[in-house]
Amino acid sequence: MPKITIDNKEYAFEGQPKLLQFCLDHGVELPHFCYHPALSVPANCRQCLVEVGMPVRDRETGEISRNDDGEPIVRWGPKMTTSCSVDMADGMAVRTHRSSELVEQAQRDNLEFLLVNHPLDCPICDQAGHCPLQNQTYKYGPEGSRFEFRKVQKPKKVVLGPRVMLDGERCINCTRCTRFTDEVSKSHQLTIIERGVKNYPMTPPGEVFDDPYSMNVIDICPVGALTSIDFRFRARIWEMSSAPSITVTNAKGANCSYWVRDNLVLRITPRANPHINDYWLPDEDRATYARFNEQRPDGPRIRGDEGLQPADWETAYARASELLGSADGSNILFLGSPHATVEDNYLLCKLAAALGASPPAYIPHVKPGAGDGWLITDDKAPNAEGCRRLGVRPVDPALVRARLEAGEIAALYALEDDPVASGLFQAAEIQDIPVVLHTYHTTNETLAAADVALPAAMVVETVGSYVSEDGHAQRVWPAKAIRGVNRTLRMEMGVSRLDSHGTPFDRWHNAANQVQCKPSWEMLPNIARGLGLEWADASPKEIMREIAQHLGAFEGATYENMGSSGVRLTEIGTLA
Amino acid sequence: MSDFIKHPVVSLPDRAPEPVFSKEELVFTEAEKEQIEAFRAQYPTPESAVMKTFWLAQEKFGFLPPEVIRLAADTLGIPFSLAYGVATFYTQYYKAQKGKYVLDVCTCFSCQLCGGYDMLRYLEEKLDIREGETTEDGLFTIQGAECLGACGTAPMLQVTNGPYVHNLSREKLDALIDALKAGKKPPFVSVTLPQDEDDLGGNRRSDAEATEVGQTPPAAETFE
Ligand code: SF4
Ligand code: FES
Ligand code: FES
């Protein structure tokens, strides 16, 4: 296997990696700005310079010449080279700043140049705290600047498009943003204009940066030049915690991080997953964060003489069990949900089976033509594939209507969806039958007919798994706390927010804005027990293990296997 | 440039400018299209032909407002943004209407030491306009330019991306302006090196329209 020596340490490599990427993969940190693994390599920032040499070979024999100690003699390049653009070769020797003063000096000088016209407004900059320019300047930069000229003033607060704002002065012209629009999203909406100290990225005249993937440039901009119009000045990076999860705006299962402060989700950013979304996230997926914060219910409600009234959890469970118990099992309509996790739908299936009802159906949320064949799908719910694999089928509205008219629906149990808003029923039609509803929002139109309303935890508050349109099963971690105590959630939270939100005793713990809701996998067993069934509480991890064991369509889908990037489930042709 | 050093402010371009040319005017003739096609065939990718296409467009339209840049991009089948970036990068592509003769007076290091600013200011006085402005009759635009690669014959200027005028003096400028007013563009002049005069009989180019003998440049009166 070919070998390379970096700072006198030997590494074996395969294929023909670029030097910078290889170093980063092997824990040899090198400062860099313009290089991005998913984009072309322009080598324009010059921050990643290293010394590169090749061993001297004997002209005749082709053997590597060695000195008296048997060490290969290296002929070093006349100048330093940008490591991002160097193809590695067998025998290559590299000196980074760890072993070369020249490289150290070059990094320092380069940063001094990059900062000549930089406004250094870090105290008010959104990028501060996670800014490659700031971090690398602290680590590799000079003590100060020797430039005494006036700094160039460039356009600031430029609205490039509906979601992205430019601060021209902060830009270091790495061209990551223009390469993203040229190579990845292919909208070609950005270009670098002008030259020398006057240049910065811009849309050409008459064009607006409204690319459906425009916000990715904010993530890859190595400085604070591109910021989110929505998120600007809303929170400092160190005030928030982030948890690994997936987006639920559509059925792609794109990996993301939910950023939370005081139990409010403030933004959604991509999390790299080579199997699904690489480094990217559509703008559409990021725009939905407010639904995790707004119009959330405050505890369970049960219908009394004066409409829905607050109740405690035990009373609400008991009432739900009582209503279900009073109906003939086979006449209860169970509705699963492509918004709910596999675990929650599975428990609902079990409950339906135990009561002798037909298996739950789900309400599809497909908008034909809305998808783009990449990260935006027609399906606007995250888990329809998970439902199908559980045997939960799309609901047949005609059949439901016929049964309703024939008086064959004696009760309705709806999981995390809104049958009235979806048009399956009108509120008046189900007014007279018992309705148990798991709901995310107080705007749920089915509440008008609900007899027991159970506030359900959303993706940011629960543990569970989802199966993407492509059959990729992934689990999520809780990003924010809910009111009340759940041991499983608390333990998972300790893992997902290890950085700053480990336990309720740390200084970040905060009871503000906690929603009074519960995960459906906690509610369903309580209701089942009320119906005389012997259900033990189980964590989603245990439930998923059971599913993976018993259902072929979920073979291998355990939490251990899913890890943080998920597993691809086998194709299943016709589902049972 | 000196102004920019004192007031280094880069302004935002007009992001939705009114077009200068009408739809009817914004077309290439069949012959021009053929020429552009020929440019395109010279390179592996159409993007590479953008510079020659701009040149053609600038000769046709006089300058390159956004709609002409878009026309060039569309004709080549390349993104407008890329074409716009290229057009704004090069000062030789005029993004705004200029005078018939654009006088690019070099004020970079060598020329400045040899009187680049003396020449620039003299022209300003003579034509009664400031650097960057155009005379009212639309005949002349004066610009300060960075090194045009003819430092040996400093101070010098270039006329509308074309011929260089070397070894400038006030008299030479008077003569140049008179000639241009009479519609006479200066010829392409090949300047010899003094040492070649002695040893190589001038070593003159045979294709040059005119030749001049190299001389020791003057020292500047003013610097900025
Ligand atoms: S705006 Fe950011 S990503 Fe774009 S060129 Fe400037 S520094 Fe790079
Ligand atoms: S990362 Fe290598 S030159 Fe920018
Ligand atoms: S400095 Fe004027 S031509 Fe070089």
Side-chain angles (χ1 to χ4, degrees), chain A residues 30-174:
Chain A
L30 286 177
H32 64 282
F33 295 111
C34 67
Y35 176 81
H36 189 283
L39 302 173
S40 60
V41 181
N44 63 23
C45 75
R46 317 310 286 176
Q47 190 59 47
C48 66
L49 290 173
V50 290
E51 285 190 84
V52 171
M54 286 300 284
V56 177
R57 287 180 189 269
D58 187 291
R59 291 237 167 167
E60 258 113 67
T61 60
E63 287 291 298
I64 291 179
S65 312
R66 292 174 187 276
N67 63 14
D68 297 342
D69 299 336
E71 308 258 329
I73 300 173
V74 175
R75 184 173 292 130
W76 293 95
K79 298 236 169 111
M80 285 172 281
T81 311
T82 49
S83 56
C84 62
S85 58
V86 168
D87 288 315
M88 293 187 10
D90 193 17
M92 187 179 266
V94 178
R95 288 200 285 237
T96 74
H97 55 280
R98 292 169 186 82
S99 60
S100 159
E101 271 183 33
L102 195 65
V103 174
E104 213 183 322
Q105 183 68 39
Q107 291 173 348
R108 221 182 0 252
D109 292 348
N110 198 55
L111 276 161
E112 191 175 358
F113 273 127
L114 285 175
L115 295 173
V116 166
N117 284 311
H118 191 85
L120 292 173
D121 56 350
C122 311
I124 55 143
C125 177
D126 273 322
Q127 188 84 341
H130 61 150
C131 175
L133 182 61
Q134 191 183 40
N135 293 348
Q136 297 185 41
T137 301
Y138 278 131
K139 266 178 134 162
Y140 307 102
E143 286 292 308
S145 175
R146 289 167 292 174
F147 286 82
E148 291 170 0
F149 302 103
R150 291 180 65 166
K151 293 197 181 220
V152 174
Q153 295 173 29
K154 292 190 200 175
K156 292 172 96 74
K157 289 191 286 186
V158 183
V159 176
L160 289 181
R163 296 170 290 276
V164 181
M165 188 173 277
L166 167 77
D167 182 316
E169 292 179 352
R170 293 179 185 154
C171 171
I172 59 167
N173 282 290
C174 71

Side-chain angles (χ1 to χ4, degrees), chain A residues 461-529:
Chain A
E461 293 145 339
T462 191
V463 177
S465 30
Y466 298 79
V467 185
S468 79
E469 196 174 81
D470 311 309
H472 207 79
Q474 309 185 83
R475 60 154 304 186
V476 298
W477 280 265
K480 68 191 190 83
I482 55 176
R483 194 97 49 85
V485 183
N486 180 299
R487 236 175 79 83
T488 307
L489 284 182
R490 179 160 299 172
M491 274 165 47
E492 292 283 352
M493 189 97 99
V495 181
S496 66
R497 312 208 306 189
L498 204 57
D499 55 342
S500 47
H501 288 68
T503 72
F505 307 108
D506 72 30
R507 71 194 188 92
W508 294 105
H509 184 77
N510 192 328
N513 304 309
Q514 289 181 350
V515 178
Q516 182 150 188
C517 62
K518 284 193 188 298
S520 291
W521 49 260
E522 185 186 334
M523 297 192 270
L524 281 159
N526 277 300
I527 294 168
R529 284 194 289 268

